Amino acid sequence: MSDGTVDWRDDWQVFGAVRTLYLHEHLPPLLDIKESVEGHAKSFMTSPMRRFWLNLHGFRTKVIKEIGKERRRLWAGDGPFELHLIPLGELLQGTVEELVRNDGLPARWRPGWAQEQLTRGLECVDDKLTERQQESFHLRAIIGVSPEDAARAMNVDVRTANAHLSNGWAAIRKSNIDLQVMRWFLERGTDGTFTVQRVRRIEDEMEEEAARARQTANADAESEDSASQEEREDSYEGI
């Protein structure tokens, strides 16, 4: 960034501002967040304020506040709305790698397999879903807006928006992506909502398996105690 050029993927403060605005504000991306953040950063770098560049946190906070204000202004309007999606492979691949490495991956999943499933899942959303399916997926599964807000942002009714989301998940499943791994990732790496009801949380399955294992172990122990008691009684009878 020293030459005044800005690429949101190359500077961690710019990238962080883009991620925060896209993932954690619970609002539709009604403006080009990448372009807006890069524009603010470029203006900052070519202004006299550049000498205070060490105050990176202050710059990031200011950018998030200003762009957030503009987006809320757009959202308060009557529409129709235009969505500006960011490819998930660009936005979340680093999060995939970090979570697989550091966030307590279930023991039954090999890290390489889980990362490959998640990478392919993000690529599927970027490359194989229709535009409307992508919009519904980003809004609900990644950003976590309500069904009503997703429909409003897409300029359709709730039933239509839900249908696009359902069809998007079906396309991901047909691409042989493990939806349980996708659920594990979305619930940790985003503020989104996982809406495929028949896909259970891996933690719930593991807790049930552990409970069944404990029940089996207890039953085996009781059986052994009973057998031991019978042996003792037989021994007494033989005296």
Side-chain angles (χ1 to χ4, degrees):
M1 193 182 286
S2 59
D3 61 355
T5 61
V6 179
D7 187 318
W8 72 284
R9 294 162 295 189
D10 294 337
D11 183 274
W12 71 275
Q13 284 291 347
V14 175
F15 183 76
V18 171
R19 277 178 48 85
T20 297
L21 285 162
Y22 198 89
L23 297 175
H24 302 305
E25 297 287 294
H26 297 286
L27 285 171
L30 301 181
L31 70 169
D32 191 325
I33 293 174
K34 294 187 300 181
E35 183 178 284
S36 297
V37 174
E38 288 175 348
H40 277 75
K42 184 175 181 179
S43 296
F44 184 86
M45 289 301 295
T46 56
S47 75
M49 290 295 293
R50 178 178 176 178
R51 63 188 178 190
F52 300 112
W53 183 245
L54 289 178
N55 186 15
L56 295 174
H57 179 73
F59 164 77
R60 177 173 167 177
T61 301
K62 182 174 183 291
V63 167
I64 291 173
K65 181 178 180 180
E66 291 184 359
I67 295 177
K69 181 178 180 180
E70 173 63 14
R71 181 164 57 172
R72 288 189 293 274
R73 184 191 66 79
L74 293 172
W75 188 232
D78 297 329
F81 300 105
E82 180 181 359
L83 296 171
H84 299 265
L85 306 183
I86 298 177
L88 297 185
E90 297 180 11
L91 189 67
L92 292 174
Q93 187 57 44
T95 305
V96 168
E97 296 170 0
E98 180 180 352
L99 289 181
V100 168
R101 183 173 61 247
N102 298 324
D103 202 52
L105 195 71
R108 69 173 63 174
W109 293 345
R110 291 182 292 103
W113 173 82
Q115 183 167 330
E116 183 263 346
Q117 287 290 309
L118 294 172
T119 299
R120 288 181 54 229
L122 299 182
E123 290 174 349
C124 180
V125 175
D126 290 340
D127 300 333
K128 295 185 179 181
L129 268 58
T130 67
E131 180 179 355
R132 298 305 255 169
Q133 290 169 0
Q134 287 180 3
E135 290 176 349
S136 61
F137 189 92
H138 279 241
L139 290 167
R140 297 292 310 286
I142 301 299
I143 300 171
V145 306
S146 68
E148 293 75 18
D149 282 351
R152 179 170 179 251
M154 294 172 65
N155 307 300
V156 297
D157 58 55
V158 172
R159 182 176 180 180
T160 300
N162 287 343
H164 286 304
L165 180 62
S166 178
N167 291 337
W169 277 115
I172 295 171
R173 184 192 294 273
K174 288 179 181 178
S175 297
N176 297 317
I177 308 300
D178 190 302
L179 297 193
Q180 196 170 54
V181 181
M182 291 290 290
R183 176 170 190 167
W184 177 86
F185 171 73
L186 292 175
E187 290 178 348
R188 284 162 177 76
T190 74
D191 292 339
T193 303
F194 187 85
T195 57
V196 186
Q197 296 182 356
R198 59 183 175 273
V199 177
R200 303 181 63 204
R201 296 175 68 248
I202 182 63
E203 293 85 357
D204 293 340
E205 287 191 2
M206 294 176 68
E207 288 177 4
E208 289 185 2
E209 290 176 2
R212 286 194 295 268
R214 288 192 296 269
Q215 290 176 351
T216 300
N218 291 338
D220 290 344
E222 291 175 359
S223 178
E224 290 178 1
D225 290 343
S226 177
S228 297
Q229 179 66 27
E230 290 177 358
E231 289 179 0
R232 287 194 295 272
E233 291 174 354
D234 291 341
S235 297
Y236 293 147
E237 291 175 358
I239 295 176

